[in-house]
Amino acid sequence: MAGNGDHSAQPAAVEVRTRSQGLPWGPLLGALLLVVTIGSIAWFHPSQTRSIGRSFDLIDSKSGRLVSDRDFRGKWLLVFFGYTRCPDVCPTTLSEIADTLAKLGPLAGLVQPLFITLDPKRDTQPVLADYTAAFDPRILALTGSPDQIAAAARGYGVYFATREAGDDYSIDHSAAMYLMRPDGAYERSFLSTAGSAEITKRLQGLLQSR
């Protein structure tokens, strides 16, 4: 059974990027994709929030050991999916998480932020460990095989897709943070636009009433 918290936020906000490549219908296609995305999110919420956060098995980028969601029982989890080469939403979100930890003070010890990479090919364990440490060493990065990551993403209802760009690529992905209760149940989601002040306020209310 899902947590009884405030579910006013969408469980996922999808970042959609479209390259028109000089074609006049490019912007229209982008708008259509956005409408479809918003529609799918509205359909998903709230009837399927019970299934958000199913079990995962991933690799701790710091220790290299295999961990599962069960290893974090007793902690409030703040889960975010992204990748280190993300140009905008990922660094912004991780900065907000770091600010939240600072604002929580001693209460931050009850929260474990998890950054799950969607790009295991380039996001090696050392790369991930260095990346998250630059924001706050308390943010734990997780990786795994493509299948393990895809399973974890499905468990949280996370959308992601690789977008080729010549010899390089980017990853379009959902941009929400998922708050999980200490018993593993889903509590609520924060949109990527949520600032640290909003997240801190919500967390303080939950942590102080435990």
Side-chain angles (χ1 to χ4, degrees), residues 107-124:
L107 289 174
L110 302 173
V111 180
Q112 177 58 67
L114 299 179
F115 176 64
I116 301 177
T117 182
L118 297 171
D119 188 11
K121 179 180 178 180
R122 297 182 298 196
D123 288 349
T124 62

Side-chain angles (χ1 to χ4, degrees), residues 16 18-36:
V16 179
T18 304
R19 292 183 177 84
S20 64
Q21 297 177 332
L23 296 177
W25 43 264
L28 293 177
L29 178 59
L32 177 61
L33 286 173
L34 185 58
V35 169
V36 171

Side-chain angles (χ1 to χ4, degrees), residues 33-56:
L33 286 173
L34 185 58
V35 169
V36 171
T37 296
I38 293 173
S40 66
I41 292 171
W43 172 83
F44 182 85
H45 178 76
S47 62
Q48 296 192 5
T49 57
R50 297 186 190 89
S51 65
I52 291 178
R54 291 192 293 270
S55 62
F56 60 76

